[in-house]
Amino acid sequence: MADSSVLTSTEITSLADSSILDSKVTETFKENLCMTSTSNIDEEMPQIETRLVLVQEAGKQEELVTAIKEIKVPCVKMDSMEEFGGLDSPEFENVFVVTDFQNSVFNDLRKTDSRIVGPPVILNCAQKGEPLPFSCRPLYCTSMLNLVLCFTGFRKKEELVNLVTLVHHMGGVIRKECNSKVTHLVANCTQGEKFRIAVSLGTPIMKPEWIYKAWERRDEQCFCAAVDDFRNEFKVSPFQDCILSFLGFSDEEKKSMEEMTEMQGGSCLPVGDERCTHLIVEENTVKELPFEPSKKLFVVKQEWFWGSIQMDARAGETMYLYEKTNTPELKKSVSLLSLSTPNSNRKRRRLRETLAQLSRETDISPFPPRKRPSAEHSLSIGSLLDISNTPESSIHYGETPKSCSKSSRSSTPVPPKQSARWQVAKELYQTESNYVNILATIIQLFQVPLEEEGQRGGPILAPEEIKTIFGSIPDIFDVHMKIKDDLEDLIVNWDESKSIGDIFLKYSKDLVKTYPPFVNFFEMSKETIIKCERQKPRFHAFLKINQAKPECGRQSLVELLIRPVQRLPSVALLLNDLKKHTADENPDKSTLEKAIGSLKEVMTHINEDKRKTEAQKQIFDVVYEVDGCPANLLSSHRSLVQRVETVSLGEYPCDRGEQVTLFLFNDCLEIARKRHKVIGTFRSPHDRTRPPASLKHIHLMPLSQIKKVLDIRETEDCHNAFALLVRPPTEQANVLLSFQMTSEELPKENWLKMLCRHVANTICKADAENLMYMADPESFEVNTKDMDSTLSRASRAIKKTSKKVTRAFSFSKTPKRALRIALSSSHSSEGRSPPSSGKLGVSRLSSTSSLAGIPSPSLVSLPSFFERRSHTLSRSTTHLI
């Protein structure tokens, strides 16, 4: 790099700890200030003013001169060092502004111990309205201001001197020792004491290129080298300088780990290659190594591999060395992958104490054996809330948790003759205890570490993603902890007359508050986990490490999170079983019926909330997909009924042949056309990039404006066509909108019946069939002939271009020929059957009641193009017969 390679011999002194030099300068300044103030306390101190000296090219930059005027600092210009002596004045402290920190003038000024700054410093101070920063070294820019750097692994002194100098020029500070005050470690290798200290402290470890690239951007205002987007490009990869091989893994796992190794800066070779630096062993399957490893080869467990990715830095191999089973070394191994850090939050501390106590109470894992991998993809909410599901079928009820068999208060009394009611009650308590343990595991192993501050390598997930994944799990845990404690009291002090139903009635309101938010968004939670695991290697490694722990029972996070969805139906079944074994004279019989009813209400509430949530989500999807969609489409009472793809057959609402999408809601119809050009992308509030809107809004029509629905007969030239007779609220004339359905999934007959039913509901009419009429295509000049031909598409394109040119050079827009009057006024009496053959060619399906005179409330008024380009019908035709 040409602009940073030429350095003077005086730069060698910069290798000293610059923080010590800075502190000495500060102390000397303070001592001089105190001596001056005490000796001349009665004398008036002379005022020394800062003056900028623009050296050579700096004086020719207009932007720089303007910035100096804004900060109101006097300035002069200097073209050569010959003028240096004449600038010396007791009234001014000269600060030299130099554009090139490598020319001879810069070197001469530096020898005089003058204050030297670069133009970016002046421009930055003018922009922020701040005074000039004081620096005992030349300061070109402030892109590394407040950064403390340490170096390791550099053998060439010239390279190290060059890097240190550039850091000083950008405002950074250098320290010899790596400690907690160092903000970045610049490493030329992935070994050594400083590297291990930086990994343990979570200090970002950077490549030397980071400094060089930051120096290249030295003239950019407001640039900071510590910004994540820039810094992450130059972080030392976890497997840099590592060559890995894998032993004991399946082909699929091995391929995935090899791909991840390359993503993390490493490379792979077959097992046994002498060039390998690490051998990753699956300790659960490999009992003996197939060869004697060399002393240079690290034989480590897979925990080292995933831990390095999770921490975003190469973990120390010592704690993860592979040893034979039951060896003393294996028993002494300690995992360093915990992301926990001290936290003074009182609420979180109480939660941890509760979780710790809970883990001490139970020594038997409540989890079943690991399911097949495809199980998580077959999970569906559809049947999860079905009360007929078997409860907790995967839990071994024969195993009594320690918290039940050896309570912290007293041991569970066993009646002389165990009744069936006591057996079911004990089973209810056991399953509840197991369920609480599962929730505790989710919180303790997954949620709390992800939320911790000061994670090594930075946060694994964004706060929004964590909230989406775990939702109201902590609230559910709190409720069921109380239920478990109450059940434990009841089991410990068992009596047949004790009421179990009262416990669930007591917490029914809490269940209603906590469960719907989680169950309704479970699918979104599962999708977020899958997406983050695929896109974020550190999260994938985090799951691999924690899901392999015995507390998880080798189950995935998705499999654990499905438990809250399944819990309430299983509790309802157990309460039903308990009621069967409760005597009729027992007061708990009626209480259990109420408790079962309350649980059913909770599940009904969950299903209803889920349905509303999905309906609202569909409306949001429409808003995102349709460009210019009116905001008043979003309403709590509105839901999407059907989406239909069509082609316009008339001139309205858009040109013939254009693709039109109709969104039928319960009270309105959104009409949108396909966009001709798609530009840009949409970014949601949660920072998720969405695809650009593919449709363009045309009109949002209240269903009350639809007066008739015309089913166009099938002919040789007309297929799958229908029309809507619309009365705009500001017009007395009717507008005819004709379409051809292109959706093959939905038959036209079903679509028209669905549309008529919702129109009738909107205008409070019971006879929805009377809104639909069968019509001949010739009567309304509707045809679908040659809609998809090349000639027709070319004709439409020429026609569209002609319209644009005509409008551009015309002051008046003359409407086209009005639609031929298709409705005759001769049949004006209401309820009369139309003739079998006549001018109308319209046959009514059933008896009709006229809707033309019904006033139509409107959500929004029709656009002005309906007024200019309305397809008018005869004003005398006020009734369709």
Side-chain angles (χ1 to χ4, degrees):
M1 197 169 297
D3 59 351
S4 60
S5 59
V6 182
L7 295 171
T8 63
S9 60
T10 57
E11 299 292 350
I12 299 178
T13 59
S14 62
L15 290 177
D17 195 331
S18 60
S19 60
I20 300 176
L21 179 60
D22 293 340
S23 61
K24 289 182 178 180
V25 171
T26 304
E27 291 174 1
T28 304
F29 175 75
K30 291 180 178 179
E31 290 177 1
N32 294 337
L33 182 62
C34 293
M35 292 175 60
T36 304
S37 61
T38 55
S39 61
N40 303 320
I41 190 169
D42 296 328
E43 298 180 7
E44 183 178 356
M45 290 287 296
Q47 298 293 328
I48 300 178
E49 188 176 4
T50 301
R51 180 174 64 181
L52 295 177
V53 181
L54 305 181
V55 181
Q56 295 178 341
E57 296 297 326
K60 301 178 182 179
Q61 296 184 5
E62 296 182 1
E63 184 182 8
L64 184 60
V65 175
T66 304
I68 294 174
K69 292 179 181 179
E70 292 180 2
I71 61 178
K72 299 178 181 180
V73 175
C75 69
V76 294
K77 297 182 180 181
M78 187 184 81
D79 294 329
S80 63
M81 283 301 295
E82 285 74 12
E83 304 175 17
F84 178 78
L87 297 174
D88 192 13
S89 171
E91 299 178 358
F92 296 100
E93 180 190 11
N94 293 324
V95 179
F96 295 88
V97 183
V98 183
T99 58
D100 188 358
F101 270 34
Q102 294 167 354
N103 59 17
S104 58
V105 176
F106 169 78
N107 293 329
D108 293 338
L109 288 173
R110 185 170 185 180
K111 292 176 183 178
T112 62
D113 293 332
S114 301
R115 286 182 61 186
I116 306 174
V117 298
V121 175
I122 308 298
L123 297 175
N124 190 48
C125 291
Q127 183 180 7
K128 297 182 179 180
E130 298 176 350
L132 291 175
F134 178 82
S135 177
C136 58
R137 301 184 186 86
L139 182 65
Y140 187 87
C141 63
T142 57
S143 56
M144 284 193 174
L145 194 65
N146 300 324
L147 299 188
V148 182
L149 275 64
C150 184
F151 292 85
T152 184
F154 291 89
R155 296 185 177 182
K156 296 181 179 180
K157 190 173 184 179
E158 295 78 8
E159 181 183 7
L160 180 59
V161 169
N162 192 11
L163 291 170
V164 169
T165 302
L166 294 181
V167 171
H168 285 157
H169 288 347
M170 291 184 284
V173 177
I174 308 298
R175 284 187 179 271
K176 285 186 176 180
E177 302 298 330
C178 185
N179 50 39
S180 59
K181 295 183 180 180
V182 173
T183 60
H184 298 79
L185 175 69
V186 182
N188 207 27
C189 66
T190 57
Q191 296 178 351
E193 182 182 358
K194 292 182 180 179
F195 188 91
R196 293 293 160 222
I197 293 175
V199 172
S200 63
L201 294 176
T203 304
I205 304 174
M206 311 302 299
K207 300 177 183 177
E209 289 79 6
W210 175 56
I211 298 176
Y212 291 129
K213 290 295 182 181
W215 180 249
E216 289 180 3
R217 300 179 61 176
R218 60 187 178 273
D219 291 317
E220 296 182 17
Q221 292 189 43
C222 302
F223 169 71
C224 179
V227 175
D228 290 341
D229 292 340
F230 176 75
R231 184 185 64 182
N232 291 341
E233 297 180 19
F234 307 100
K235 292 184 69 174
V236 173
S237 302
F239 300 135
Q240 180 174 309
D241 304 331
C242 295
I243 303 176
L244 311 183
S245 57
F246 300 92
L247 179 65
F249 299 93
S250 65
D251 294 340
E252 184 178 356
E253 288 178 325
K254 182 179 178 182
K255 181 180 179 181
S256 175
M257 295 175 78
E258 288 177 347
E259 292 175 353
M260 198 160 292
T261 300
E262 295 178 357
M263 289 174 55
Q264 302 298 324
S267 57
C268 301
L269 287 175
V271 175
D273 196 301
E274 295 180 355
R275 293 170 293 176
C276 289
T277 60
H278 294 76
L279 174 63
I280 316 300
V281 179
E282 167 56 271
E283 61 272 19
N284 296 320
T285 59
V286 176
K287 303 302 179 184
E288 294 288 342
L289 295 179
F291 62 94
E292 185 67 26
S294 64
K295 295 182 179 180
K296 295 182 179 180
L297 180 66
F298 290 105
V299 182
V300 294
K301 297 179 289 186
Q302 63 171 329
E303 191 178 3
W304 174 86
F305 178 84
W306 297 117
S308 299
I309 298 176
Q310 178 186 325
M311 294 188 299
D312 202 20
R314 177 178 166 183
E317 293 85 359
T318 307
M319 294 297 179
Y320 306 100
L321 295 177
Y322 170 76
E323 301 289 346
K324 294 182 180 180
T325 310
N326 298 327
T327 59
E329 291 81 0
L330 180 62
K331 296 180 180 180
K332 294 180 181 179
S333 62
V334 181
S335 175
L336 296 179
L337 292 178
S338 174
L339 295 180
S340 302
T341 56
N343 196 323
S344 60
N345 189 305
R346 187 175 302 171
K347 183 176 180 181
R348 180 168 292 176
R349 186 166 62 249
R350 286 200 302 266
L351 176 62
R352 287 179 177 175
E353 291 173 356
T354 304
L355 296 174
Q357 179 183 357
L358 187 63
S359 63
R360 287 194 299 268
E361 289 178 354
T362 305
D363 56 358
I364 299 179
S365 175
F367 299 97
R370 182 174 177 82
K371 299 179 182 178
R372 53 189 174 86
S374 60
E376 69 177 88
H377 301 290
S378 63
L379 297 176
S380 174
I381 284 187
S383 61
L384 294 177
L385 296 180
D386 187 358
I387 199 169
S388 62
N389 287 351
T390 54
E392 305 289 337
S393 57
S394 59
I395 294 181
H396 304 288
Y397 293 116
E399 300 177 357
T400 304
K402 188 176 180 180
S403 57
C404 179
S405 60
K406 296 181 181 180
S407 174
S408 57
R409 298 164 190 173
S410 61
S411 60
T412 306
V414 180
K417 185 178 180 181
Q418 296 180 1
S419 64
R421 174 176 162 84
W422 186 85
Q423 292 284 0
V424 178
K426 188 182 76 168
E427 182 180 358
L428 178 61
Y429 169 72
Q430 289 175 344
T431 59
E432 187 68 19
S433 178
N434 290 338
Y435 177 59
V436 170
N437 290 338
I438 292 174
L439 296 178
T441 299
I442 293 173
I443 296 172
Q444 194 173 31
L445 283 188
F446 296 96
Q447 184 176 3
V448 173
L450 288 173
E451 291 178 342
E452 286 290 353
E453 298 179 357
Q455 298 177 21
R456 299 174 186 176
I460 296 178
L461 294 181
E464 297 82 7
E465 293 170 332
I466 297 175
K467 186 173 182 61
T468 301
I469 291 175
F470 297 101
S472 58
I473 284 289
D475 298 328
I476 296 176
F477 172 75
D478 291 339
V479 175
H480 281 275
M481 269 296 296
K482 297 174 183 177
I483 295 176
K484 171 185 170 291
D485 291 341
D486 290 354
L487 287 175
E488 184 176 0
D489 286 336
L490 187 142
I491 294 296
V492 169
N493 305 299
W494 174 255
D495 188 273
E496 289 290 335
S497 61
K498 291 285 184 74
S499 176
I500 298 178
D502 283 337
I503 297 176
F504 290 93
L505 286 177
K506 177 181 177 182
Y507 298 105
S508 60
K509 292 183 179 179
D510 294 329
L511 295 175
V512 171
K513 291 180 182 178
T514 57
Y515 269 91
F518 180 81
V519 177
N520 293 340
F521 293 97
F522 172 74
E523 289 295 334
M524 186 182 298
S525 173
K526 188 172 75 171
E527 292 172 2
T528 303
I529 294 173
I530 296 173
K531 184 191 73 174
C532 291
E533 189 175 6
R534 183 175 60 252
Q535 297 179 353
K536 300 186 177 185
R538 292 183 62 209
F539 180 64
H540 178 72
F542 173 80
L543 293 182
K544 282 285 186 180
I545 293 170
N546 287 286
Q547 290 170 177
K549 293 180 179 178
E551 300 95 301
C552 287
R554 290 189 171 271
Q555 292 192 84
S556 68
L557 180 58
V558 173
E559 291 172 326
L560 296 178
L561 288 175
I562 197 68
R563 296 304 182 86
V565 182
Q566 299 171 329
R567 180 56 186 167
L568 292 185
S570 66
V571 172
L573 288 176
L574 284 172
L575 292 182
N576 264 318
D577 195 15
L578 191 65
K579 188 183 71 170
K580 293 178 183 178
H581 296 90
T582 302
D584 294 338
E585 62 274 9
N586 193 325
D588 195 30
K589 184 89 170 182
S590 59
T591 309
L592 284 172
E593 292 179 356
K594 293 179 182 178
I596 295 170
S598 68
L599 285 180
K600 289 183 179 179
E601 290 179 3
V602 173
M603 289 184 284
T604 302
H605 184 79
I606 291 174
N607 286 327
E608 183 65 20
D609 266 17
K610 179 177 178 294
R611 186 189 63 79
K612 291 180 180 179
T613 301
E614 291 176 349
Q616 291 293 317
K617 184 177 180 294
Q618 289 176 336
I619 297 179
F620 274 103
D621 291 339
V622 173
V623 173
Y624 291 138
E625 186 178 3
V626 179
D627 182 30
C629 189
N632 60 353
L633 178 65
L634 298 173
S635 178
S636 59
H637 71 276
R638 185 167 292 130
S639 60
L640 180 64
V641 178
Q642 186 66 47
R643 170 179 178 155
V644 177
E645 302 294 337
T646 67
V647 174
S648 177
L649 299 179
E651 298 298 329
Y652 319 99
C654 55
D655 293 333
R656 175 180 171 84
E658 286 211 51
Q659 298 180 21
V660 178
T661 302
L662 304 179
F663 296 95
L664 175 62
F665 295 89
N666 58 319
D667 63 342
C668 62
L669 182 70
E670 165 66 20
I671 305 175
R673 65 169 175 81
K674 185 178 180 180
R675 295 185 65 178
H676 303 300
K677 292 182 180 180
V678 179
I679 303 174
T681 57
F682 175 80
R683 188 169 290 275
S684 71
H686 297 293
D687 201 32
R688 298 175 182 171
T689 302
R690 291 181 174 271
S694 59
L695 301 174
K696 179 71 176 178
H697 167 73
I698 297 178
H699 180 56
L700 180 61
M701 178 192 304
L703 294 184
S704 58
Q705 293 182 9
I706 300 178
K707 302 306 175 185
K708 305 295 175 188
V709 178
L710 306 182
D711 185 3
I712 308 298
R713 283 197 180 94
E714 296 291 317
T715 63
E716 184 178 354
D717 295 335
C718 188
H719 299 285
N720 224 19
F722 69 95
L724 305 177
L725 188 65
V726 179
R727 173 70 63 84
T730 57
E731 293 290 323
Q732 295 183 355
N734 293 321
V735 178
L736 189 71
L737 310 179
S738 55
F739 307 93
Q740 179 189 22
M741 292 183 62
T742 59
S743 304
E744 299 180 356
E745 301 84 11
L746 181 66
K748 183 179 72 170
E749 180 182 0
N750 295 354
W751 156 247
L752 295 181
K753 288 182 178 180
M754 184 188 306
L755 177 60
C756 289
R757 184 173 68 252
H758 284 87
V759 172
N761 292 340
T762 303
I763 61 177
C764 301
K765 288 288 184 179
D767 49 350
E769 299 82 1
N770 296 335
L771 293 171
M772 187 163 60
Y773 287 81
M774 185 70 71
D776 291 330
E778 296 82 6
S779 303
F780 296 92
E781 295 185 348
V782 175
N783 70 83
T784 61
K785 188 177 181 181
D786 298 332
M787 285 299 297
D788 296 326
S789 65
T790 304
L791 181 60
S792 176
R793 288 195 295 268
S795 175
R796 292 197 297 269
I798 295 174
K799 187 177 179 182
K800 189 177 299 182
T801 305
S802 175
K803 281 184 180 181
K804 294 180 179 179
V805 175
T806 303
R807 290 177 181 175
F809 294 96
S810 176
F811 290 99
S812 62
K813 276 67 177 178
T814 305
K816 292 189 173 183
R817 180 176 59 88
L819 178 66
R820 180 185 303 171
I821 300 176
L823 304 176
S824 174
S825 60
S826 59
H827 306 284
S828 58
S829 59
E830 190 171 333
R832 185 183 306 172
S833 300
S836 59
S837 63
K839 297 181 180 180
L840 289 179
V842 180
S843 63
R844 192 171 56 188
L845 292 179
S846 60
S847 62
T848 179
S849 59
S850 174
L851 299 178
I854 297 179
S856 56
S858 173
L859 294 178
V860 291
S861 60
L862 286 173
S864 58
F865 71 82
F866 267 150
E867 301 175 7
R868 297 195 310 266
R869 306 170 58 194
S870 62
H871 208 164
T872 54
L873 298 176
S874 173
R875 296 199 177 199
S876 61
T877 307
T878 58
H879 300 279
L880 183 60
I881 301 177

